[in-house]
Amino acid sequence: MNVWWRTLLTIMRAKVMLRRRGPVPPTSVGRIRLRTLPTDIDLLRHMNNGRYASLFDLGRFDLLIRTGIWDAMNAKGWYAVVATETVTFRKSLQLWQRFTVESRLYGHDDKAVYQIHRAVVDGEVYAEMIVRARFLRRSGGVVPMEELFEALHRPDDLPPLPEWIATWVEGSSLPSTKAPAPSLWE
């Protein structure tokens, strides 16, 4: 339940910042300060690996709101879904430890936007997640990136994606929702 409260607080804070300071460029790095709570801890007394994704969502909400993408999505009837994510752990976050979630739009291809999220303590990366998110229409279909940037009234000034991203996407993809995907173990 604490992630719900953290989510609501993050959304409210980001909306206040958007009203006070205006939208930030899509190339900005968003930062939110958090603390490892008892409900984040696993039996080994450090941050549970599954909790990182939930807390990185907070960074995603913050950045989407403060760039103006959130309002554009809602006005157009769009929503974002995570299609692929990979997290790499370097050091463990301990109980009550303060850390910063840093989030940045990494780039995009014709169907998805890529974000990087990091858990950072005193400037040092403890964990990093790359997320591939698709923008979909409530009425069905994928939102093209040109349409997304047009709705934001901004140029597409995100840097090109590194070459390894295409290999990562191909290697981690499941079949389309329209294709069969039987669970077969070899």
Side-chain angles (χ1 to χ4, degrees):
M1 190 66 182
N2 75 78
V3 177
W4 280 95
W5 294 116
R6 285 172 162 173
T7 301
L8 292 174
L9 289 171
T10 298
I11 288 171
M12 289 188 312
R13 179 183 162 272
K15 286 185 176 208
V16 166
M17 289 178 68
L18 176 63
R19 276 194 304 276
R20 286 184 183 167
R21 300 180 185 171
V24 298
T27 54
S28 298
V29 175
R31 291 179 175 85
I32 58 172
R33 298 276 297 152
L34 297 172
R35 183 184 294 270
T36 308
L37 300 177
T39 52
D40 300 328
I41 301 300
D42 64 17
L43 294 174
L44 299 175
R45 299 188 316 258
H46 61 229
M47 174 88 79
N48 179 283
N49 65 301
R51 183 64 83 183
Y52 283 88
S54 295
L55 297 180
F56 287 157
D57 277 348
L58 301 178
R60 187 165 27 264
F61 289 138
D62 174 71
L63 196 58
L64 287 174
I65 291 168
R66 292 188 317 108
T67 57
I69 295 173
W70 181 274
D71 288 338
M73 287 171 39
N74 289 328
K76 298 279 190 177
W78 301 339
Y79 63 99
V81 295
V82 172
T84 313
E85 64 186 13
T86 299
V87 66
T88 304
F89 303 99
R90 190 171 161 272
K91 284 187 171 185
S92 296
L93 289 169
Q94 304 301 318
L95 181 62
W96 304 118
Q97 188 169 14
R98 286 190 174 276
F99 64 100
T100 302
V101 171
E102 295 182 347
S103 302
R104 181 172 74 96
L105 291 169
Y106 198 44
H108 67 86
D109 57 24
D110 60 333
K111 291 185 179 178
V113 170
Y114 298 80
Q115 284 187 309
I116 297 282
H117 301 286
R118 293 178 177 162
V120 178
V121 176
D122 297 327
E124 184 178 5
V125 176
Y126 275 49
E128 181 177 81
M129 176 184 271
I130 182 164
V131 174
R132 179 177 177 259
R134 298 182 70 181
F135 288 87
L136 305 176
R137 300 176 198 282
R138 294 202 188 279
S139 59
V142 176
V143 177
M145 293 302 106
E146 304 81 40
E147 190 174 345
L148 175 67
F149 283 98
E150 183 180 314
L152 294 172
H153 307 293
R154 292 176 184 248
D156 171 9
D157 59 353
L158 292 175
L161 290 169
E163 290 182 25
W164 67 267
I165 291 287
T167 305
W168 172 69
V169 169
E170 183 180 329
S172 60
S173 293
L174 291 172
S176 159
T177 56
K178 295 176 177 134
S183 177
L184 302 173
W185 297 93
E186 299 180 74

